Amino acid sequence: MLVLLDATAFAFQRMAGVSIKDIARIAGVSHSTVSRALRSSPLIPEQTRKRIQRIAEKHGYSADAVARSLTTRKTLTIGVVVTSIADPFNSDIVDGIEDVANQAGYSVVLATSQANPERELAVVKTLRERRMDGVLVASSRVGALYAEHFANLEIPLVLLNNQHPTDVVHSVTIDNREGAAQVARHLAALGHTKIGYLGDRLGLHSDRERYEGLRDALRSRGIRLSKEFVVRGDGKTQGAREAVRPLLEKANRPTAIFCYNDMSALGVIEEAEKCGIEIPRQLSICGFDGLFFAPFLKVPLTTVQQPRREIGRQAMQMLLLRLRPEADRNGHLQKTIKIKGQLVVRGSTAPPPRG
Amino acid sequence: MLVLLDATAFAFQRMAGVSIKDIARIAGVSHSTVSRALRSSPLIPEQTRKRIQRIAEKHGYSADAVARSLTTRKTLTIGVVVTSIADPFNSDIVDGIEDVANQAGYSVVLATSQANPERELAVVKTLRERRMDGVLVASSRVGALYAEHFANLEIPLVLLNNQHPTDVVHSVTIDNREGAAQVARHLAALGHTKIGYLGDRLGLHSDRERYEGLRDALRSRGIRLSKEFVVRGDGKTQGAREAVRPLLEKANRPTAIFCYNDMSALGVIEEAEKCGIEIPRQLSICGFDGLFFAPFLKVPLTTVQQPRREIGRQAMQMLLLRLRPEADRNGHLQKTIKIKGQLVVRGSTAPPPRG
DNA sequence: CTGAAAGCGCTTACAG
DNA sequence: CTGAAAGCGCTTACAG
């Protein structure tokens, strides 16, 4: 407990505005010497260094990172832009980013774009004014623009799951096609042939990739994904319910539905229950993302588990390599990393009903 | 689309290091005039202002917020400390904070304490060095220390759900007692008399308040909360499973269990299922928090819904009042705000089994 | 209305 | 090993 108290005292007992000059005056040296001592410069003999550090501590000196940044041209801070932090998909990613950033001595400024392209640009502009050393943008709605117009952008940028394909920008993304193909193989192996897709109507690239991944993998097994069985929601529970309703009301309805994400799948589970359709006996459902709650639902959800924390970590690591090119001894810096998810089979999928 | 491109160009096309001096040279005025023009000072006539702003825009000038902060002694940035951003309880709070902060022109630096007091102090120290205008700490493990030793702390601080009661520090907290009392009244009304409590063994103040709130409200209804029926986990699903097991295995077990939070309740649901105990017929379960997934579980969970986003918003608003005392015309600044949750009854609670 | 000057609190090449 | 000096890019009181 005493240790804690001391640490706190060290952190806080600074009289308003104790600067390097004040410490210099008290120690009877120049402020240059104080600066060197506090940074443990090898130029300063140990004894002097210790004496000065003791004085600084006693007077609660706290280095002004703002002033330091102005001199060094580095803020040791990165900006992270997500659509919303309340979305568990994003919060796990941010958790991974923060972990790596922190270990490398970087702070994280969090900003939200609300999935609005103009706001995303405004937010990135603010981050630039604040002189972030680098920026990560998740689910970018303007990814292509960064590339087309700012290839020589002087602020290092890494995109996560960007919604505009490009090979100009550095990015880390989920392997959507491969994940959807895993679902296709699973459903085909169970014997399904009438398969539906509940997508996202916002025109996201990830939606297109999941759709195509499903379609192509089914086709290579001789199963056709009928246009009739494709509907689009908004990636959320309520929107999914409304979008899937006509599909469930069809006389000849699919026996399995692959949902754009777990939140959508939740809506389908609810809507199917309301329509008196039993899962998985009458209808199989697959999600995508592997959110925390998937195993605990009234119907435990088969889904493609994404290593969200790892995605965040890798994106931050990519950014670090850009920030410290000298650290990239092995030429680790790739332009694009694709990360594979893993199908987890649970109770929401089963063979189709007979007949 | 053209608008977007222009906005982006404005944001980015800055040659490395275009400063106010460069713009001054190009415009043929002093850098003081440029500074005033860009800040729309009333001293500068409209025509001059527009000319200078046009030049700045053309050359992709982006004000250096670091330099500005050094002069103005304000960073327009606040620090937010949470135990983990991956916890949905926290991410909703941060979402509310970010919303209010943003609207007021503040950026948010996010830092995690990992529920470790020493790390919490280290993190707050960093935030101070970075000259945050204010700091919010959620679920503080060292709340009391801030108060005892740093009442005259020069950095405005607001705690959220601090785990050390104090009236010296500004704080916003859940009304734990009242929430637990709602649970007690609900269970008593259903006819339960053998009631258990699955708490948190980490010694959190919120655990004690929920325990006491339950106990006292039961007592006032003539029901005794038996020590035998009190166990403690760690607030997480797996820890809850292990903690509750002995309780479920008792010959004479409780007919209802109030869980410290929804994550714990999840563990009890799982463990009860494993033991072949039917919910709610043989056992009623109540959670606390009202996390997103509560209605979608295999047993829809009765829980005390907390307005998490609102808690974040109010905490940030309290901090804003401290940052801008002049804005507090109506004397709105209270030291402590308690926010009430709302019991939501779902399928996990029912009358006790007969006999 | 405009500019020269001081200053915010650091870091670091330069000279000794 | 140490200090005086310059400089990072702004804002703003002061003088005109």
Side-chain angles (χ1 to χ4, degrees):
Chain A
M1 206 49 165
L2 265 176
V3 175
L4 283 188
L5 289 182
D6 283 356
T8 322
F10 177 43
F12 286 125
Q13 265 179 359
R14 168 178 185 257
M15 317 288 121
V18 177
S19 80
I20 217 171
K21 277 190 201 161
D22 300 309
I23 304 302
R25 194 167 6 82
I26 295 163
V29 294
S30 75
H31 71 278
S32 317
T33 299
V34 173
S35 172
R36 292 192 184 102
L38 295 179
R39 318 205 69 207
S40 299
S41 155
L43 291 173
I44 308 290
E46 182 177 338
Q47 213 179 342
T48 316
R49 175 170 61 75
K50 285 202 169 151
R51 189 171 66 85
I52 293 176
Q53 287 179 340
R54 233 181 344 256
I55 292 171
E57 190 164 332
K58 180 177 161 207
H59 292 266
Y61 172 78
S62 153
D64 186 328
V66 172
R68 177 179 294 157
S69 293
L70 188 59
T71 309
T72 61
R73 317 304 302 146
K74 285 186 177 12
T75 54
L76 291 181
T77 305
I78 61 129
V80 174
V81 184
V82 294
T83 53
S84 156
I85 187 65
D87 183 330
F89 185 85
N90 293 328
S91 56
D92 287 346
I93 286 178
V94 172
D95 192 59
I97 292 171
E98 211 268 341
D99 185 33
V100 173
N102 207 107
Q103 298 217 3
Y106 285 82
S107 290
V108 171
V109 169
L110 183 72
T112 57
S113 69
Q114 270 132 233
N116 173 343
E118 295 184 35
R119 194 171 139 82
E120 180 183 330
L121 287 170
V123 147
V124 174
K125 177 166 179 263
T126 301
L127 294 175
R128 249 180 57 76
E129 287 181 345
R130 304 206 169 203
R131 296 297 185 263
M132 303 288 101
D133 290 344
V135 170
L136 289 165
V137 183
S139 307
S140 172
R141 296 310 202 259
V142 294
L145 292 185
Y146 294 122
E148 286 172 26
H149 296 269
F150 314 101
N152 52 1
L153 194 62
E154 82 275 25
I155 186 168
L157 183 77
V158 171
L159 304 184
L160 286 88
N161 298 326
N162 47 314
Q163 294 296 349
H164 291 272
T166 161
D167 47 30
V168 185
V169 170
H170 290 259
S171 68
V172 176
T173 62
I174 285 176
D175 193 336
N176 288 302
R177 272 175 198 279
E178 205 274 333
Q182 288 186 46
V183 171
R185 289 194 292 270
H186 172 58
L187 294 177
L190 286 172
H192 290 276
T193 53
K194 295 194 300 181
I195 294 170
Y197 176 67
L198 166 59
D200 183 303
R201 80 168 71 90
L202 305 174
L204 300 187
H205 186 60
S206 50
D207 172 70
R208 171 192 286 258
E209 288 189 320
R210 289 174 204 177
Y211 167 71
E212 292 179 354
L214 178 74
R215 184 196 60 192
D216 296 351
L218 286 178
R219 186 188 288 153
S220 76
R221 276 168 173 65
I223 300 169
R224 190 170 151 275
L225 178 56
S226 161
K227 283 261 190 267
E228 265 187 279
F229 289 168
V230 175
V231 292
R232 297 195 195 260
D234 57 5
K236 296 181 190 167
T237 303
Q238 191 51 37
R241 289 187 70 151
E242 288 155 23
V244 83
R245 197 167 302 147
L247 210 52
L248 299 183
E249 285 168 350
K250 270 187 200 301
N252 177 31
R253 61 167 193 255
T255 59
I257 299 178
F258 170 42
C259 304
Y260 173 73
N261 60 12
D262 290 351
M263 295 301 253
S264 299
L266 209 49
V268 177
I269 292 174
E270 293 292 304
E271 193 63 21
E273 184 182 44
K274 193 182 140 206
C275 296
I277 299 174
E278 217 177 292
I279 299 171
R281 198 176 59 78
Q282 298 172 284
L283 178 68
S284 287
I285 294 179
C286 271
F288 200 98
D289 284 353
L291 295 186
F292 161 79
F293 54 73
F296 303 113
L297 297 179
K298 44 184 80 142
V299 188
L301 185 65
T302 296
T303 183
V304 186
Q305 185 73 39
Q306 301 301 331
R308 292 184 292 284
R309 204 159 184 285
E310 184 59 23
I311 292 168
R313 293 182 59 90
Q314 295 231 16
M316 185 62 212
Q317 263 149 9
M318 185 183 270
L319 186 57
L320 281 177
L321 289 181
R322 296 199 58 187
L323 294 177
R324 306 170 168 172
E326 73 286 0
D328 187 18
R329 296 206 193 109
N330 315 316
H332 273 317
L333 182 51
Q334 301 168 250
K335 272 257 164 176
T336 308
I337 295 180
K338 260 198 188 170
I339 296 188
K340 285 197 198 319
Q342 174 69 51
L343 181 76
V344 179
V345 177
R346 298 201 180 88
S348 68
T349 47
R354 305 243 190 120
Chain B
M1 208 47 167
L2 265 176
V3 175
L4 284 187
L5 290 182
D6 283 358
T8 323
F10 177 43
F12 286 126
Q13 264 178 1
R14 167 179 184 257
M15 317 288 119
V18 177
S19 81
I20 217 171
K21 277 189 202 164
D22 300 309
I23 304 302
R25 196 168 3 84
I26 295 164
V29 294
S30 75
H31 72 276
S32 316
T33 300
V34 173
S35 173
R36 292 190 184 102
L38 295 179
R39 317 205 71 206
S40 300
S41 156
L43 291 172
I44 307 290
E46 185 179 336
Q47 213 180 341
T48 316
R49 176 171 60 75
K50 283 202 170 154
R51 189 172 68 85
I52 293 176
Q53 287 179 340
R54 232 180 347 254
I55 292 172
E57 190 165 330
K58 179 176 162 206
H59 292 266
Y61 172 78
S62 152
D64 187 327
V66 171
R68 177 178 295 157
S69 292
L70 187 58
T71 308
T72 61
R73 318 304 301 147
K74 283 185 178 15
T75 55
L76 291 180
T77 306
I78 61 130
V80 174
V81 184
V82 295
T83 52
S84 155
I85 186 67
D87 184 331
F89 185 85
N90 293 328
S91 55
D92 287 346
I93 287 178
V94 172
D95 192 58
I97 292 171
E98 211 268 341
D99 186 32
V100 173
N102 208 106
Q103 297 217 2
Y106 285 82
S107 290
V108 171
V109 169
L110 182 73
T112 58
S113 68
Q114 271 131 233
N116 174 343
E118 295 184 35
R119 193 171 141 81
E120 180 183 331
L121 287 170
V123 147
V124 174
K125 178 166 179 261
T126 301
L127 293 175
R128 249 179 58 77
E129 288 182 343
R130 304 205 169 205
R131 296 299 185 263
M132 303 288 102
D133 290 344
V135 170
L136 290 165
V137 183
S139 305
S140 173
R141 298 310 202 259
V142 294
L145 292 185
Y146 295 122
E148 286 172 27
H149 296 268
F150 314 102
N152 54 1
L153 194 62
E154 82 275 24
I155 185 168
L157 183 77
V158 171
L159 304 183
L160 285 89
N161 296 326
N162 46 314
Q163 294 297 349
H164 291 271
T166 161
D167 47 29
V168 187
V169 170
H170 290 260
S171 67
V172 176
T173 62
I174 285 176
D175 192 336
N176 288 301
R177 270 174 200 279
E178 204 275 333
Q182 288 185 47
V183 170
R185 289 194 291 270
H186 171 58
L187 294 177
L190 286 171
H192 291 276
T193 54
K194 297 195 299 183
I195 294 171
Y197 176 68
L198 166 59
D200 184 303
R201 81 168 70 89
L202 304 174
L204 301 187
H205 186 60
S206 50
D207 173 71
R208 172 193 286 257
E209 288 189 322
R210 289 174 203 178
Y211 168 73
E212 292 179 355
L214 178 74
R215 184 197 58 193
D216 296 351
L218 287 178
R219 186 187 290 152
S220 76
R221 277 169 172 64
I223 300 169
R224 187 169 152 276
L225 178 57
S226 161
K227 283 260 190 264
E228 263 187 280
F229 289 169
V230 175
V231 292
R232 297 195 195 260
D234 58 4
K236 297 182 189 165
T237 304
Q238 191 52 38
R241 289 188 71 151
E242 288 155 23
V244 83
R245 196 167 301 149
L247 210 52
L248 299 184
E249 285 168 351
K250 270 187 200 300
N252 177 30
R253 62 167 191 256
T255 59
I257 298 177
F258 170 42
C259 305
Y260 173 73
N261 60 11
D262 290 351
M263 295 301 253
S264 299
L266 211 48
V268 177
I269 291 174
E270 294 291 303
E271 193 63 21
E273 183 182 44
K274 195 182 138 205
C275 297
I277 299 173
E278 218 178 292
I279 299 170
R281 198 176 58 79
Q282 298 174 284
L283 179 67
S284 286
I285 295 178
C286 271
F288 200 98
D289 282 354
L291 295 187
F292 160 79
F293 54 74
F296 304 114
L297 297 178
K298 43 183 79 142
V299 187
L301 185 65
T302 295
T303 183
V304 185
Q305 185 73 39
Q306 301 301 331
R308 293 183 291 284
R309 205 160 182 285
E310 185 59 25
I311 292 168
R313 292 182 59 90
Q314 295 231 18
M316 184 63 214
Q317 263 148 11
M318 184 183 270
L319 186 57
L320 281 178
L321 288 181
R322 296 200 58 188
L323 295 177
R324 305 169 169 172
E326 73 284 2
D328 188 17
R329 298 205 190 108
N330 316 316
H332 273 317
L333 182 52
Q334 301 168 251
K335 273 256 165 177
T336 307
I337 296 180
K338 261 199 187 169
I339 296 187
K340 285 195 197 320
Q342 174 69 50
L343 181 76
V344 178
V345 177
R346 300 201 179 88
S348 68
T349 48
R354 306 243 190 119

